[in-house]
Amino acid sequence: MSISTSAITPQIVADHGLTTEEYDRIVQAIGREPNLTELGIFSVMWSEHCSYKSSRIHLKKLPTSAPWVICGPGENAGVIDIGDGQAAIFKMESHNHPSYIEPYQGAATGVGGILRDVFTMGARPVANMNALRFGRPDHPKMKHLISGVVRGIGGYGNCVGVPTVGGETNFHTAYDGNILVNAMTVGVADTDKIFYSAASGVGNPIVYVGSKTGRDGIHGATMASADFGEDSEEKRPTVQVGDPFTEKLLIEACLELMASDAIVAIQDMGAAGLTSSSIEMASKGGVGIRLDMDKVPQREAGMTAYEMMLSESQERMLMVLKPGREAFAEAIFRKWELDFAVIGEVTDTGRMILVHHGETVCDIPLGPLADDAPLYDRPHVPTPALAPLGAIRDTVNISADLLRLLGSPDLASRRWIWEQYDHMVGADTVQRPGGDAAVVRVHGTGKGLAITTDCTPRYCFADPVEGGKQAIVETWRNITAVGGQPLAVTNCLNFANPQRPEIMGQFVGCLEGMSAACIALDYPIVSGNVSLYNESKATGGGSAILPTPAIGGVGLLPDVERMCTIAFKGTGDIILLIGERQGDLGQSLWLREILGLEGKDAGPPPRVDLAAERKTGDFVREAIRCGAITACHDVSDGGVAVAVAEMALASGIGAILDQPLSGSTAQTYFAEDQGLYVVTVRDIALADLLALAEAKGVEVARLGRTIANRLIFELPESDHAIPLETLRSAHESFFPKLMDAEL
């Protein structure tokens, strides 16, 4: 057999994102020079985005198992048991680079891709979440990016009929030239109907379904594995174009076929498209694969095998079927007006063979493409410890400071965003955006899934280990605060250039903290994504992003009727603070927004006490389920004052806070101490709650009472009162003003 080759120059190798050493490894692996198609296949499979070559060695350290984990990392999504023969299937992924270049399509196809990761395993998607990071609000490009990303997420999710139930959005100049768009999907399946991707059965047909293949998205995985330069706008052709209506048809067709016994293996075509899907299926099954490229449905004339294999056209799936089931499967996909084609077969060769126009255009071993991809232990240095925060002035006007914080980019209401999302489609959303965690009823049952995303990048930058811990425990607290039992985590690890030792040190440190928190809380990581090279050399852009290990948490509420929310429920309720207060202002938003101190000038972040987190959280969850707590909100950005203000704004009910000061006024109200919850109880339940807290060894302090429509802070020198309407105006105005929308 002969394969047509053309000279592969050093420049062609470099253009494919491969080093000289990696190219030499390719030559050694296949025993000859590759042709362009083979080089392209190796380039995407060995890209950072697909191979995790800089991160695999460290990802192995993460805890991934628990009695309720059905499938951990390695498949399309993680799977956990939620009882009654049902499973939750979920994952988070990044679409950062495409969203910076073309925000609408980048964000939309990010949603489409993560939906496919979930329903390819047999789950019906029930909820979408997201985690967004933008640069300075006044950056000349940022309004365009915000508008495009939000419209892209809403447009795709709304059309496909899956509710977008929450998420997070933050701003920092470090994201000026490289925004982050992380998308998460949660689905529900029967535990006896979960589908995996390992191909098997020599001679079994390989089937292509969904949309036709075009030239969009070629080299998307390679682009996602490099930082941005001055030519980022020229990379627009590598951004895919999505069609949510086709995705909806694809979901229904796949789930209909999954109800039969026809499928042996199934894989969505995500990053690297037909290349990654076919290679992953074959390598996981320990088999070979032969594809006839002439049979691939194509929407453009004259496509080469190189283009078809590297295209990232959306809404496509690859399947291995049982012999003789082709006609049955085809009838289903034709009914849903989708393409269906048998394009190859499973072999016993351990090789990928591609035939195009009667010629063999690729013949390479599968082992080096997947299992033997490069693995680097990059040099890394730990982030230096920051000096303790020195003496700082106290707040001079708590009312003014609170108003400023509530109107700041990181704390302002996200209503402008989530009102563009359909969060009620499906009629199972029982806690909407704006609380600690979204809650979605498991259809046809009384139980619910609590879902949240979170991360505090400024903590991770100041101390990656503590920041990694905090990212995990913040989602654990969010789920706990609605009454859910946290079960498992997905993640999206967004970092800058791993070839810089200080950046790799951030990555290693964050994973160390994440691992410690997951172990302490019995909260394993079952799926995730790594996104590196998030930095920009483009004009007007920053350099490296802040280390941003975005965490998606999923928990279970046995009874959604006992769910808790952040809104005060009535006047006269007692407001309590549960947990141990430290008064630590380090890295707080108060320091940044009021005193202008951040980064190295803002001291170390608040310490996470994992044993205390678990003890306090378990107590709060028990108190919610027994009905003692009427409202609950964990303390995070902005401290106790912001937590109370958010509870008041969610309800229209005010509060009087008359607690003794714990340290300075700023330490009492604006410190971001970890492991704290603000709750309300009725007088009749107080004694029982305090007795339970004493028995569990949990600290409880009285903060005040709920009152009519204002907040009152009783301070030694004077009282400060703020009408809720004044707070609401400050809280709600940021996004409409930024985006020129009407209130």
Side-chain angles (χ1 to χ4, degrees), residues 559-736:
D559 182 359
V560 294
E561 296 300 320
R562 292 187 175 272
M563 173 188 74
C564 203
T565 69
I566 72 170
F568 292 146
K569 300 304 183 293
T571 59
D573 285 356
I574 302 166
I575 305 172
L576 302 174
L577 183 68
I578 299 177
E580 184 176 349
R581 173 177 286 175
Q582 302 293 329
D584 192 343
L585 284 165
Q587 297 297 324
S588 65
L589 283 182
W590 182 82
L591 278 184
R592 190 182 81 187
E593 297 295 327
I594 307 303
L595 299 189
L597 298 176
E598 67 172 319
K600 296 179 180 178
D601 298 324
R607 186 176 61 87
V608 177
D609 183 333
L610 293 172
E613 283 282 355
R614 178 150 194 174
K615 180 173 66 174
T616 305
D618 289 349
F619 166 76
V620 168
R621 199 178 309 109
E622 183 177 350
I624 290 172
R625 291 182 180 177
C626 74
I629 289 175
T630 57
C632 182
H633 191 13
D634 79 300
V635 175
S636 56
D637 290 345
V640 169
V642 167
V644 171
E646 289 173 341
M647 298 173 83
L649 290 172
S651 60
I653 298 168
I656 180 169
L657 303 181
D658 54 9
Q659 63 171 330
L661 292 182
S662 176
S664 69
T665 303
Q667 288 175 307
T668 300
Y669 286 110
F670 297 121
E672 296 173 6
D673 294 329
Q674 300 296 292
L676 298 181
Y677 300 80
V678 176
V679 306
T680 55
V681 298
R682 297 194 170 95
D683 285 33
I684 194 171
L686 180 61
D688 288 343
L689 183 77
L690 294 177
L692 180 62
E694 184 176 6
K696 301 290 186 179
V698 173
E699 290 193 21
V700 178
R702 186 182 184 279
L703 291 181
R705 277 189 183 270
T706 57
I707 58 172
N709 54 1
R710 57 182 177 161
L711 284 189
I712 300 175
F713 295 89
E714 287 194 353
L715 301 176
E717 70 282 3
S718 63
D719 292 350
H720 289 251
I722 319 171
L724 288 193
E725 283 310 306
T726 303
L727 283 172
R728 192 177 306 281
S729 177
H731 191 49
E732 297 277 358
S733 62
F734 169 76
F735 271 102

Side-chain angles (χ1 to χ4, degrees), residues 8 37 104 131 149 178 186 211 262 466 502 520 538 709:
I8 302 296
T37 299
Y104 183 92
V149 165
N178 198 126
V186 181
S211 292
E466 287 299 312
E502 68 275 18
N709 54 1

Side-chain angles (χ1 to χ4, degrees), residues 82-84 86 428 430 439-450 482-483 555-563 625:
I82 57 171
D84 306 310
Q86 294 177 307
D428 280 322
V430 292
V439 179
V440 177
R441 180 186 289 104
V442 178
H443 191 72
T445 76
K447 63 190 178 187
L449 294 173
V482 301
L556 181 67
L557 284 82
D559 182 359
V560 294
E561 296 300 320
R562 292 187 175 272
M563 173 188 74
R625 291 182 180 177

Side-chain angles (χ1 to χ4, degrees), residues 66 88 197 238 264 455:
S197 59
T238 62
V264 174
C455 179

